[in-house]
Structures are given as C-alpha cells and as structure tokens.
Amino acid sequence: MEKKGFRRAVNIVTILCTAAMISFVIYGLKSGIFTDRAMMEELVSRGGIWGPVTFMIIQMVQVVVPVIPGGITCAVGVVVFGPWYGLLYNYIGIVAGSCINFYLARRYGQCLVKFFVKEETYNKYITWLEKGKKFDKFFAAAIFFPCAPDDVLCMIAGLTKMSWKKFSVIILLGKPASIAAYSMALVYAGGFLSGLLG
C-alpha cells in the first residue's frame, strides 16, 4: 500500500509539474519572453531576488521543451548576472532540465522521446542503445563538449540501463566546462559583432 501511495503521489507531482511547465511555455511564447532576448534580459534583471529563480526555471524549461535556442539563454545568464553567477545559474537550470529529461525517458519510454525528438535525430542516436558500455563513454564525452545535442542524449540515456548514479556523475562533472565554453563564446561573439556593426 505504501509503495502504491508513493507511486500515486509521484504521478500526481509529475502531472502537476508537466502542466505547470506547459503553461509557462505557452505564457512565454505569447508574451514574447522566449523569442525576444531583450525582453528576457529585462524580465530577469528586474526580478530582484526572484530574477535568478526565474532564469533557472526558464533554463530548465528550455532543456525539457526546446522552444528557445539554448545558446540564447546561456548568453543571457552571463550578460545579466556576470560570468560567475551566470555560469552557476546556467549550470543549475541545465542540470535540473537534464535530470528531468532522463527521468521522463526512463519512466515513459520511447513514445515520449519520439514526441520531443525529431525522427531523423532519434534514428541517428538510437543505434547507440545496442552498444552497451560504449554508449556510456560516448555520452560522457558528448556532455563534456559544447556542441553535442545534450537534451536528446539525456533522453536516449534514459532508455538505456545507465544508473541514476552514473548519469548524475557525468552530468554534474561534464556540464560546467561545456556551459562555460558555450556561454562565453556566445557573449564574446555577440560583443565582437556589435563592435563591427557599431
């Protein structure tokens, strides 16, 4: 009975969180937060103490529901909060979103993954499921580098036998380098282009 009650509670929390996330995505798209970088920066910078929380939620949502290019939110974090806090908030939001992706794929299987991932991309990476331990090494290397499709790979990892412990270690240790490289590269590229155009 206790296990059934716990599972029921988990299901209810999952449904509520999913509904809240969908509502937030709809609001973000309608209000322009997810499509206008300046609006996103203004929202976060004017949020006071809630600014970092709002930003981390936005970052988490964009990992699970890819309606915003991840590069935009990474750059916004560094520009608004500075390099160190920006990296920290990016890291927390992205790690949380990655864990959600892994959990959803593990719980709901291939049907849910195919719903979020393009068929072409899914077919490209799903073959790694047959490679056992080789996938774990490939996944760890991909998470470390900034150009890999991390969101997709986290879902694919959820379909494997990879343990939560191994997944968490790879994400926690591999993400900081890729996030830092990606965020700073985008910020400096933006500054360089602004200088040329200005």
Side-chain angles (χ1 to χ4, degrees):
M1 289 296 290
E2 289 183 4
K3 287 185 178 180
K4 288 184 179 179
F6 177 75
R7 287 177 183 174
R8 187 177 299 171
V10 169
N11 288 334
I12 292 172
V13 170
T14 301
I15 292 169
L16 291 175
C17 289
T18 303
M21 192 175 293
I22 291 171
S23 300
F24 185 70
V25 169
I26 293 171
Y27 167 76
L29 289 172
K30 285 187 175 181
S31 64
I33 295 171
F34 290 166
T35 54
D36 189 327
R37 175 175 167 173
M39 186 176 291
M40 187 189 297
E41 288 181 6
E42 183 181 359
L43 171 70
V44 172
S45 61
R46 291 178 60 185
I49 194 172
W50 290 103
V53 176
T54 302
F55 173 75
M56 286 185 283
I57 292 172
I58 290 173
Q59 190 65 291
M60 179 185 70
V61 168
Q62 71 83 16
V63 172
V64 181
V65 187
V67 292
I68 330 164
I72 292 178
T73 50
C74 282
V76 167
V78 175
V79 169
V80 174
F81 301 109
W84 295 111
Y85 282 110
L87 173 60
L88 176 64
Y89 300 148
N90 275 325
Y91 177 67
I92 293 172
I94 290 173
V95 166
S98 298
C99 290
I100 291 172
N101 277 347
F102 184 82
Y103 166 79
L104 290 175
R106 174 139 301 179
R107 184 167 183 81
Y108 298 106
Q110 291 185 4
C111 291
L112 182 130
V113 176
K114 288 180 178 179
F115 179 79
F116 284 104
V117 179
K118 291 180 181 178
E119 186 176 353
E120 181 182 349
T121 306
Y122 177 84
N123 292 334
K124 180 179 179 181
Y125 291 104
I126 199 64
T127 55
W128 281 92
L129 291 180
E130 303 168 2
K131 300 184 180 181
K133 295 292 183 181
K134 288 184 179 179
F135 174 81
D136 294 3
K137 295 177 181 178
F138 166 74
F139 179 70
I143 292 301
F144 184 79
F145 293 104
C147 297
D150 296 357
D151 307 345
V152 174
L153 291 176
C154 286
M155 284 194 166
I156 298 296
L159 299 177
T160 69
K161 294 181 180 179
M162 183 184 295
S163 67
W164 264 103
K165 182 179 179 180
K166 179 178 284 189
F167 175 80
S168 300
V169 169
I170 292 172
I171 292 295
L172 291 172
L173 297 182
K175 278 293 184 184
S178 61
I179 294 171
Y182 201 52
S183 301
M184 298 311 296
L186 286 165
V187 170
Y188 284 122
F192 177 72
L193 289 173
S194 296
L196 287 178
L197 295 174

